Amino acid sequence: AQSVTQLGSHVSVSEGALVLLRCNYSSSVPPYLFWYVQYPNQGLQLLLKYTTGATLVKGINGFEAEFKKSETSFHLTKPSAHMSDAAEYFCAVSFGGATNKLIFGTGTLLAVQP
Amino acid sequence: EPEVTQTPSHQVTQMGQEVILRCVPISNHLYFYWYRQILGQKVEFLVSFYNNEISEKSEIFDDQFSVERPDGSNFTLKIRSTKLEDSAMYFCASGKYEQYFGPGTRLTVT
């Protein structure tokens, strides 16, 4: 069965520190991969996506993620955390086909300490 | 910038009542979705809709749920007889390879 695992439901970093949010997927076919961010009481905003091509993808707000097929991973990073990055981050996969439905991980709540 | 909109932002209803959640997808999109997020849990797929019909639905999407595109702009989710466990945030999304989400409707069933 296809699934997404996000290690660490809560991650806390200091302002200016590296942000690393982990995402692994389980699938027998290569998926499309996404990171979404959810600020309190708001909807989901697409941060970045991987479909094909270059495995290092850059998104909004200085985030990037690298697709590593051998590790079935798509970890999200940002070199220097900002207070405004505090939010919940969801990794998601889809497999194209007729529906492109998204399968989400359980989310990681990022706290940024001053 | 085009965006997905949803109304109402918050709906409170009594158990057993029917509710209709409304969405206006991005205008040139052809694929539409409903997802839900129970408080503190992950976002779950409910249904996808393309070419005026359901293309896939999850096991959550039982006979109490239906979707409709009544005109060229709206996309609705109806819950016929709400249960307490239907309380959740419901998100509409549109797009094919990139899905854009609306701000959600918080449904509270009492």
Side-chain angles (χ1 to χ4, degrees):
Chain A
Q2 298 144 349
S3 64
V4 179
T5 302
Q6 290 184 242
L7 280 178
S9 58
H10 290 79
V11 169
S12 183
V13 300
S14 298
E15 193 173 17
L18 171 73
V19 175
L20 170 61
L21 304 183
R22 299 178 186 274
C23 173
N24 289 86
Y25 67 90
S26 173
S27 168
S28 57
V29 297
Y32 300 148
L33 296 150
F34 306 84
W35 276 99
Y36 283 86
V37 61
Q38 185 179 34
Y39 297 100
N41 300 312
Q42 293 189 28
L44 297 159
Q45 182 182 9
L46 180 64
L47 265 183
L48 49 76
K49 69 180 189 295
Y50 170 80
T51 53
T52 58
T55 55
L56 181 64
V57 292
K58 295 185 186 300
I60 61 171
N61 302 338
F63 283 93
E64 59 183 39
E66 186 171 12
F67 169 52
K68 292 188 177 180
K69 186 178 177 182
S70 61
E71 298 177 9
T72 61
S73 69
F74 191 57
H75 302 331
L76 181 71
T77 60
K78 181 173 180 177
S80 176
H82 193 271
M83 298 295 289
S84 60
D85 295 327
E88 187 146 27
Y89 292 80
F90 291 94
C91 181
V93 301
S94 75
F95 298 93
T99 72
N100 295 298
K101 70 177 182 186
L102 290 170
I103 300 170
F104 283 86
T106 50
T108 298
L109 188 61
L110 176 67
V112 182
Q113 308 298 329
Chain B
E1 184 176 318
E3 59 181 16
V4 177
T5 59
Q6 291 184 243
T7 53
S9 57
H10 193 185
Q11 174 95 43
V12 181
T13 190
Q14 289 190 326
M15 199 166 51
Q17 294 298 302
E18 174 183 287
V19 294
I20 297 176
L21 310 183
R22 291 183 166 78
C23 168
V24 179
I26 293 172
S27 61
N28 62 346
H29 285 179
L30 301 177
Y31 292 79
F32 315 117
Y33 310 82
W34 285 100
Y35 294 84
R36 79 171 185 190
Q37 184 181 30
I38 294 172
L39 188 63
Q41 298 185 25
K42 67 178 178 180
V43 178
E44 302 173 287
F45 167 78
L46 289 178
V47 65
S48 58
F49 191 87
Y50 170 72
N51 200 24
N52 283 322
E53 60 183 24
I54 290 173
S55 45
E56 185 174 353
K57 58 185 180 179
S58 72
E59 61 274 10
I60 302 168
F61 195 89
D62 61 22
D63 291 344
Q64 293 300 311
F65 291 87
S66 62
V67 289
E68 195 177 37
R69 188 154 163 81
D71 53 42
S73 59
N74 289 284
F75 180 50
T76 62
L77 174 70
K78 183 194 291 186
I79 309 175
R80 260 179 274 282
S81 177
T82 50
K83 307 183 187 71
L84 293 176
E85 55 266 35
D86 294 328
S87 295
M89 182 74 91
Y90 288 80
F91 292 107
C92 173
S94 70
K96 188 177 183 184
Y97 298 116
E98 282 184 28
Q99 290 182 30
Y100 294 89
F101 284 72
T105 293
R106 181 168 298 285
L107 177 65
T108 303
V109 182
T110 61

